[in-house]
Amino acid sequence: MVKIIHTGDIHLDAPFSLYDPRKAQARKNELRGVFSSIVVYAKTEKADMVIISGDFFDHGYVTKETLAHINEQFSSAPDCKFVIAPGNHDCADAKSPYKKAVFPPNVYIFESEELSKFEFPDIGVDVYGWAFTSPQMDKCPIEHYVTVNPERINILACHGDMLVKNSHSCPITTDDIARSNCDYAALGHIHAGTEVKRAGNTYYAYCGCPEGRSFDECGTKGAIICTFERQSGGIIKTDFNYKRFCRRRYEKLSIDITGADGQSAVINAIKAAMIKKNIGSDTLLRVTLTGAVSPEAQLCTEKITESDIGVFYLELRDETLPVFSSEALKDDLSLKGALFRELLPKLESDDPEVRKTAAEALRYGLAALSGSDVIDF
């Protein structure tokens, strides 16, 4: 039986878009730790191979320290083979660390945009693949039916785009995958990952990124654990499982707080929503508050912190609108009424953005006139 870990799109040293520089640096360190966890798992489970399907790092940002860390991890698992198919962010161009750095003998890196292969007779595996040699690759190298060794387990390792037909990131189709004639195509580029599917006789999947780096990459992340066992008659028994490796996860919530009368009510509403989605302290959370609240409600959302709700990182967006008695304010002779009457034409505008801005101005103004704390929109 052959065990292969399929990962990719790790993007080591890529910047994190967090407002807190200290936590952004912590996330970069944790990303290194995720790769270390994959290597530890490979050693513990005696994996024969780890396939990295491109975008291992962003070579515009990668540091000497990270390259040293990568090599240290490779060397710590000498019995495991690491096969890398460079992608558009870690392309194997002349300036790439793939060309300049020295890697341990158990590391195999594709260097050409032409289809080529590495043979591993000791474990009965052949790995086919290619490399981006620049950030752009307009054509898939699989043009014809590939003749493979039927006595081997045949794997395709590559970075390519199945979602965009004329992609500049190596457009690849199910027909291309079927023509590879491999037992499994280990794909990289789509960070969300996919289920294992089949094209012709070839299983294929995007592993997705093992750690989210922004609110565009929500949910738990990991890698695909593949096992292959050749049986009588040339049949290969396969098994695919997904394993979480991420240290943290990004999540987004939209919460209607209509009627909330204070900060405690908002915090309780967020916590209740977190429980429903099983969100814990490992989470980077973006919360969007919606609904209608009183202009005089003291909702100091800017003062709600990560520790208040129990997460690693919090972004809170207040998109609530004020609820008010228009008839009462029309006849109000105080400054509140005067403010309302001044804003009324914009509150009734056909332009939704104008209405929203006017509503926010009204809420802000009424809260100020009532002596309440207000938030900065």
Side-chain angles (χ1 to χ4, degrees), residues 5-12 31 34-35 38 50-58 83-87 90 98 158-159 184 186-193 205-213 217 221-224 242 245:
I5 300 173
H6 171 203
T7 186
D9 294 293
I10 304 175
H11 290 273
L12 291 170
L31 194 55
V34 168
F35 178 63
I38 292 172
V50 173
I51 290 176
I52 302 172
S53 299
D55 289 357
F56 187 21
F57 48 77
D58 280 14
V83 180
I84 304 173
D90 63 344
Y98 293 137
C158 62
H159 202 78
Y184 177 66
L187 305 176
H189 186 64
I190 306 302
H191 289 196
Y206 282 100
C207 58
C209 57
E211 180 84 21
R213 294 182 297 117
E217 299 173 353
K221 305 294 181 181
I224 299 175
Y242 189 81
F245 282 105

Side-chain angles (χ1 to χ4, degrees), residues 1 7 59 126 136 164 168 177 288 292 294-295 341 354:
M1 183 178 73
T7 186
H59 76 55
D126 287 349
Q136 183 171 311
V164 180
H168 296 303
I177 290 172
T288 301
S294 169
R341 289 187 291 273
V354 171

Side-chain angles (χ1 to χ4, degrees), residues 242-288:
Y242 189 81
K243 177 173 176 56
R244 172 177 174 166
F245 282 105
C246 63
R247 299 294 179 91
R248 303 191 186 278
R249 59 175 173 148
Y250 287 79
E251 294 290 354
K252 293 186 286 189
L253 292 175
S254 179
I255 304 173
D256 188 332
I257 59 166
T258 296
D261 57 0
Q263 187 166 312
S264 295
V266 176
I267 293 173
N268 291 336
I270 295 173
K271 287 183 175 180
M274 288 171 56
I275 291 172
K276 289 182 179 179
K277 291 199 67 174
N278 196 29
I279 293 174
S281 59
D282 65 336
T283 307
L284 294 94
L285 182 62
R286 174 181 288 169
V287 177
T288 301

Side-chain angles (χ1 to χ4, degrees), residues 87-148:
N88 54 311
H89 285 277
D90 63 344
C91 59
D93 61 15
K95 297 181 180 179
S96 169
Y98 293 137
K99 299 286 188 179
K100 294 184 175 183
V102 177
F103 293 94
N106 60 332
V107 178
Y108 303 82
I109 304 168
F110 289 105
E111 295 183 348
S112 170
E113 290 191 355
E114 301 297 321
L115 184 68
S116 57
K117 71 174 176 179
F118 292 114
E119 297 184 14
F120 303 101
D122 56 325
I123 59 173
V125 176
D126 287 349
V127 180
Y128 293 78
W130 59 79
F132 278 65
T133 58
S134 71
Q136 183 171 311
M137 187 174 178
D138 295 329
K139 186 178 180 181
C140 176
I142 303 175
E143 298 183 16
H144 308 288
Y145 188 83
V146 180
T147 301
V148 300

